[in-house]
């Protein structure tokens, strides 16, 4: 009996091992054993998910910025196109207005008058500048002593007499030429030549007497320019006067663009009320519209006349 007891223990132990092995065999290939993540793997997966979400947010923000920039560029482009269209429209209107001014006889006459006023005014400025320079130069030549000498101040009057005479000739010639008066041109020319020679002599005589011909030529530029400006003034005044006369003759036969249509004559009201014709329907509305338009035009014409 002692020999059989150890053998039974071995058999029982083997039976238990077999049973245990069969139990392990049922679960050892279960995917849960290998698919379950450890704590380190779970932490790594969480960090990866957070990084992915961060990248997605950055990409969405970049898409939003790109869309905003594209919208801004589109808006700026539209504004630039609209501004270019407006500039083209304004330029076209200016071109049309310029073409109307060039083709309109009244506008051409006004442009001619403006050019005449500007040209003659510029020539008058040249003459005035030369006269001022000549006055100072003549004063220095006659009385170089200084302010203590009474002639220092009265010497300005000498050049002023010459300048005033030249200005009177220039303005008077311009005014009489506008009316076609061209008498005594030789006398006027002789007076201008005499005054010009006198002012040239007063400006250059100290240098001529000393033999300094270069200085004499330099100091003679201003009075010579006065004479040249006077000659150009006379010629331009005569030419502009003739051109304005010809243009006026052409415009005179054309209708005045600023004239208004005459007011309509009111109809007489009959004494008998039965003779009055009362319009109906469309005739009544058309008559009322005509009255309103005539009243509005008449009121604007009266307002424009009052403002003038």
């Amino acid at each position: 009996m002692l020999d059989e007891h150890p053998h039974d223990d071995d058999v029982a132990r083997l039976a238990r091992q077999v049973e245990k092995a069969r139990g392990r065999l049922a679960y050892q290939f279960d995917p849960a054993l290998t698919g379950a993540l450890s704590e380190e793997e779970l932490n790594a997966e969480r960090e990866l998910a957070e990084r992915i979400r961060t990248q997605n947010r950055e990409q969405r923000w970049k898409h939003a910025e790109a869309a905003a920039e594209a919208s801004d560029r589109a808006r700026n482009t539209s504004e630039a196109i609209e501004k270019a269209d407006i500039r083209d429209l304004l330029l076209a209107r200016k071109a049309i207005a310029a073409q109307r001014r060039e083709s309109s006889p009244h506008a051409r006459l006004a442009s001619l008058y403006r050019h005449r006023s500007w040209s003659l005014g510029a020539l008058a400025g040249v003459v005035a500048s030369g006269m001022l320079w000549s006055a100072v130069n003549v004063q220095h030549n006659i009385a170089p002593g200084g302010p203590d000498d009474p002639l220092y101040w009265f010497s300005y009057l000498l050049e002023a007499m010459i300048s005033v005479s030249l200005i009177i000739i220039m303005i008077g010639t311009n005014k009489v030429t506008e009316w076609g008066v061209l008498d005594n041109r030789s006398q006027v020319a002789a007076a201008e030549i005499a005054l010009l020679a006198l002012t040239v002599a007063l400006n250059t005589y100290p240098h001529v007497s000393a033999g300094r011909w270069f200085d004499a030529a330099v100091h003679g530029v201003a009075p010579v320019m006065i004479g040249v400006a006077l000659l150009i003034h006379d010629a331009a005044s005569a030419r502009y006067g003739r051109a304005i006369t010809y243009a006026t003759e052409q415009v005179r036969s054309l209708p005045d663009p600023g004239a208004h249509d005459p007011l309509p004559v009111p109809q007489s009201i009959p004494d008998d009320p039965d003779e009055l014709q009362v319009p109906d329907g469309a005739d009544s509305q058309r008559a009322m519209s005509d009255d309103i338009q005539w009243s509005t035009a008449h009121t604007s014409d009266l307002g424009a006349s009052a403002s003038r």
Side-chain angles (χ1 to χ4, degrees):
M1 294 181 63
L2 293 174
D3 294 335
E4 293 178 357
H5 182 72
H7 180 71
D8 293 338
D9 293 337
D10 293 337
V11 172
R13 186 172 62 255
L14 289 175
R16 287 194 302 270
Q17 290 179 356
V18 170
E19 186 68 24
K20 184 177 180 180
R22 288 178 178 176
R24 290 174 61 88
L25 184 63
Y27 296 102
Q28 65 180 356
F29 296 106
D30 195 323
L33 293 176
T34 58
L37 300 178
S38 63
E39 293 297 330
E40 294 180 356
E41 290 177 335
L42 288 175
N43 294 331
E45 289 292 334
R46 183 173 181 83
E47 291 178 358
L48 177 61
E50 290 178 354
R51 291 181 180 179
I52 292 174
R53 288 195 297 269
T54 302
Q55 292 293 330
N56 290 334
R57 284 194 297 270
E58 291 179 355
Q59 292 297 323
R60 290 199 304 270
W61 172 243
K62 291 180 179 179
H63 283 299
E65 286 184 338
E69 292 177 357
S71 179
D72 292 339
R73 288 195 298 269
R75 183 177 64 256
N76 294 333
T77 303
S78 299
E79 292 178 356
I81 293 174
E82 291 178 358
K83 291 180 180 178
D85 292 340
I86 293 174
R87 286 195 299 268
D88 293 341
L89 181 59
L90 293 176
L91 185 60
R93 290 183 177 179
K94 290 181 180 179
I96 293 173
Q99 192 275 335
R100 289 177 180 175
R101 287 193 298 270
E102 292 177 357
S103 61
S104 173
H106 296 86
R108 293 172 63 186
L109 176 59
S111 176
L112 182 62
Y113 183 78
R114 285 194 299 269
H115 282 81
R116 172 184 174 275
S117 301
W118 181 87
S119 300
L120 299 183
L123 290 173
V126 172
V127 173
S129 300
M131 288 177 178
L132 291 175
W133 195 93
S134 298
V136 175
N137 189 34
V138 169
Q139 185 274 334
H140 180 73
N141 293 336
I142 295 176
D148 296 334
D149 187 1
L151 191 60
Y152 178 86
W153 301 103
F154 285 101
S155 58
Y156 285 107
L157 298 177
L158 183 61
E159 181 64 24
M161 290 187 293
I162 301 174
S163 301
V164 170
S165 300
L166 289 174
I167 291 174
I168 291 175
I169 292 174
M170 181 177 63
I171 296 177
T173 303
N174 181 28
K175 290 300 180 182
V176 298
T177 304
E178 294 178 356
W179 295 93
V181 179
L182 302 176
D183 298 338
N184 300 326
R185 293 292 298 171
S186 59
Q187 297 179 3
V188 173
E192 290 178 347
I193 292 174
L195 292 172
L196 178 61
L198 181 58
T199 186
V200 170
L202 290 174
N203 278 275
T204 60
Y205 79 89
H207 309 287
V208 173
S209 62
R212 298 191 299 269
W213 299 106
F214 179 78
D215 293 337
V218 171
H219 287 79
V221 171
V224 171
M225 284 302 301
I226 294 175
V228 173
L230 288 174
L231 292 176
I232 296 175
H233 187 277
D234 293 340
S237 177
R239 294 178 63 186
Y240 275 115
R242 288 194 300 269
I244 290 175
T245 301
Y246 297 153
T248 304
E249 292 296 332
Q250 295 179 2
V251 171
R252 187 171 297 165
S253 60
L254 299 176
D256 187 1
H260 300 287
D261 296 333
L263 298 178
V265 179
Q267 299 179 358
S268 60
I269 300 176
D271 296 334
D272 189 1
D274 295 335
E275 296 180 1
L276 291 174
Q277 297 180 357
V278 180
D280 56 350
D283 295 338
S284 177
Q285 295 180 358
R286 187 163 51 253
M288 184 179 296
S289 176
D290 295 340
D291 292 340
I292 293 174
Q293 293 177 0
W294 177 86
S295 177
T296 303
H298 182 49
T299 303
S300 61
D301 293 341
L302 291 178
S305 301
S307 63
R308 289 196 296 270

